[in-house]
């Protein structure tokens, strides 16, 4: 059984993509000045384009994001991270039912697989619903597998619901999704088999309208394990063990194991703290089974020192659960570990 908890953080918007981040109202306030010569050249291009009928549809005007989606969104995600430094371009495109999906790039560090998408709609996303919707996510439904010499394995759709990213305008969403093998390591080379059969806005209502279609992607992926460091911990107490920590450019992943005493609940917690933030549990998300678990923290949230505490939630009581400071966690830890992470 999985249990997820999330933090919210706002990344900085780079100057390179500032124009795309402007709202419609802000764009209307902007005025561009052209010289007469520039205006004449522009007019000539328009006339030529109309005569040759070579202009792209309006909804496709953001195609320059393809191959650069990670660079656009990485500073806007709650996870942050240097995706674009390690990813490779895919560029596979599928259109169905008025929706064009382009798998822009992929990056697999051996622990997680990150895939970026550019999703374009022929009709404005605002027309899909009359309700308020989350502007940083776009939901989808489908199946995800990898195929390799080790066989076919299902992927765990981890993190926030759907794609995390940004609506760049009324017709285009640029986002990323992370996947895992539930703690297992990815093979060095594999084929991603991803089929999406619907896409929808996230409004908080169960009856949200969605668009059905058939978008199938099957690119070959090579693992890029550059700058991935594993710290073997193996600290144990009362059957609870902090096994190891894997540090990638995107996430710090903590692997833990514990005795089969919780059943289908997640009564134990992994709490994490970093230097300078003793009163804040920086754990972001986790996946916990009957006897093992993984806890993930965005790499940008971890400073030099990382402090890990495994606590049994029921023993803390309601006040203890509400107070997640490092002092409380340290005093009630079943097992703990301190580690300095190399920059």
């Amino acid at each position: 059984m999985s249990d997820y908890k999330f933090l919210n953080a706002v990344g900085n918007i780079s100057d390179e993509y500032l124009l795309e981040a402007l709202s419609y109202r802000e764009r209307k306030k902007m005025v561009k000045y052209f010289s007469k010569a520039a205006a004449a050249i522009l007019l000539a291009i328009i006339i030529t384009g109309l005569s040759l009928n070579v202009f792209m549809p309006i909804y496709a005007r953001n195609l320059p994001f393809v191959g650069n989606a990670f660079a656009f969104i990485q500073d806007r995600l709650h996870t942050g991270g240097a995706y674009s430094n390690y990813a490779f371009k895919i560029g596979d495109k599928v259109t169905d039912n008025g929706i064009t999906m382009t798998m822009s790039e992929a990056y697999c560090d051996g622990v997680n697989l990150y895939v970026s998408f550019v999703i374009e709609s022929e009709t404005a996303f605002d027309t899909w619903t009359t309700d308020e919707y989350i502007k940083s996510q776009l939901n989808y439904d489908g199946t995800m597998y990898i195929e390799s010499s080790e066989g076919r394995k299902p992927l765990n759709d981890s993190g926030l619901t759907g794609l995390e990213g940004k609506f760049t305008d009324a017709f285009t969403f640029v986002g990323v999704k992370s996947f895992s093998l539930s703690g297992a390591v990815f093979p060095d080379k594999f084929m991603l088999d991803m089929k999406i059969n619907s896409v929808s806005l996230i409004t908080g209502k169960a009856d949200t309208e969605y668009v059905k279609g058939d978008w199938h992607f099957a690119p070959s992926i090579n693992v890029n394990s550059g700058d991935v460091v594993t710290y073997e911990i193996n600290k144990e107490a009362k059957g609870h063990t902090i096994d190891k920590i894997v540090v990638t450019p995107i996430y710090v992943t903590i692997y833990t194991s514990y005795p089969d005493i919780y059943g289908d609940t997640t009564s134990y917690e992994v709490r994490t703290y970093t230097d300078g933030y003793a009163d804040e549990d920086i754990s972001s998300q986790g996946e916990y089974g009957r006897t093992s678990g993984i806890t993930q923290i965005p790499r940008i949230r971890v400073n030099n020192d990382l402090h890990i505490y495994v606590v049994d939630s029921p023993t803390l009581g309601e006040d203890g659960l509400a107070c997640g400071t490092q002092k409380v966690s340290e005093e009630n830890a079943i097992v703990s570990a301190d580690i300095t992470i190399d920059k």
Side-chain angles (χ1 to χ4, degrees):
M1 181 177 180
S2 298
D3 178 39
Y4 294 96
K5 52 183 178 179
F6 303 100
L7 298 171
N8 291 318
V10 178
N12 296 322
I13 299 177
S14 58
D15 292 339
E16 181 180 359
Y17 296 103
L18 182 60
L19 180 59
E20 292 298 335
L22 292 175
S23 67
Y24 175 73
R25 180 177 297 178
E26 290 169 326
R27 290 181 186 181
K28 288 186 67 176
K29 294 179 181 179
M30 297 185 65
V31 178
K32 293 184 179 180
Y33 296 93
F34 297 92
S35 67
K36 292 183 179 180
I41 293 173
L42 180 61
L43 179 61
I45 292 174
I46 293 174
I47 294 173
T48 302
L50 289 174
S51 63
L52 296 177
N53 194 27
V54 296
F55 276 101
M56 297 295 290
I58 293 178
Y59 71 88
R61 63 185 175 277
N62 281 325
L63 283 179
F65 285 122
V66 176
N68 298 290
F70 276 135
F72 170 72
I73 61 180
Q74 63 190 11
D75 292 335
R76 295 163 168 81
L77 301 183
H78 80 290
T79 56
Y83 299 86
S84 61
N85 293 344
Y86 300 88
F88 63 91
K89 181 178 178 179
I90 296 177
D92 294 348
K93 181 193 300 184
V94 181
T95 300
D96 193 18
N97 201 13
I99 301 293
T100 296
M101 294 189 185
T102 304
M103 183 178 285
S104 177
E105 301 140 286
Y107 164 47
C108 183
D109 55 24
V111 179
N112 295 287
L113 168 66
Y114 308 91
V115 183
S116 63
F117 282 90
V118 178
I119 299 181
E120 301 164 286
S121 174
E122 291 183 357
T123 58
F125 285 104
D126 287 340
T127 64
W128 289 21
T129 180
T130 57
D131 299 315
E132 288 293 323
Y133 60 92
I134 298 176
K135 299 300 192 295
S136 60
Q137 292 168 253
L138 185 65
N139 199 17
Y140 68 89
D141 184 55
T143 59
M144 291 74 63
Y145 295 88
I146 67 167
E147 293 185 357
S148 70
S149 59
E150 300 175 9
R152 183 175 174 86
K153 299 178 181 179
L155 285 173
N156 177 36
D157 186 345
S158 58
L160 295 174
T161 300
L163 299 172
E164 181 187 6
K166 184 176 181 62
F167 289 91
T168 64
D169 58 31
F171 301 88
T172 309
F173 182 85
V174 181
V176 65
K177 188 62 186 177
S178 63
F179 304 94
S180 74
L181 289 174
S182 299
V185 177
F186 280 86
D188 291 338
K189 179 182 293 186
F190 59 88
M191 185 191 78
L192 171 62
D193 185 359
M194 185 171 186
K195 295 181 180 180
I196 298 176
N197 52 48
S198 70
V199 61
S200 61
L201 302 175
I202 301 176
T203 65
K205 294 186 177 181
D207 58 349
T208 300
E209 293 186 10
Y210 55 88
V211 176
K212 292 184 177 180
D214 183 13
W215 301 274
H216 184 201
F217 302 92
S220 295
I221 308 291
N222 292 321
V223 169
N224 180 356
S225 57
D227 293 341
V228 176
V229 180
T230 298
Y231 299 85
E232 296 291 344
I233 306 298
N234 297 317
K235 290 195 65 175
E236 185 272 339
K238 300 180 181 179
H240 293 71
T241 306
I242 301 174
D243 301 308
K244 64 180 179 179
I245 302 172
V246 179
V247 180
T248 78
I250 313 299
Y251 274 111
V252 174
T253 303
I254 303 167
Y255 293 80
T256 53
S257 55
Y258 43 96
D260 191 3
I261 59 177
Y262 298 108
D264 291 332
T265 68
T266 53
S267 296
Y268 93 105
E269 287 186 53
V270 177
R271 295 181 175 182
T272 58
Y273 304 84
T274 192
D275 49 310
Y277 297 91
D279 291 335
E280 180 183 358
D281 179 2
I282 61 172
S283 302
S284 178
Q285 62 191 40
E287 180 183 353
Y288 308 105
R290 293 185 69 92
T291 60
S292 64
I294 58 174
T295 304
Q296 292 186 311
I297 314 162
R299 180 66 184 86
I300 60 172
R301 295 185 61 80
V302 181
N303 296 325
N304 290 326
D305 297 324
L306 181 64
H307 310 282
I308 307 165
Y309 305 94
V310 176
V311 299
D312 193 352
S313 300
T315 65
L316 300 180
E318 293 183 3
D319 292 339
L321 284 174
C323 182
T325 65
Q326 183 175 347
K327 183 176 183 296
V328 170
S329 299
E330 184 176 11
E331 291 173 348
N332 294 274
I334 302 172
V335 62
S336 63
D338 302 295
I339 184 173
T340 298
I341 295 177
D342 297 329
K343 289 294 186 180

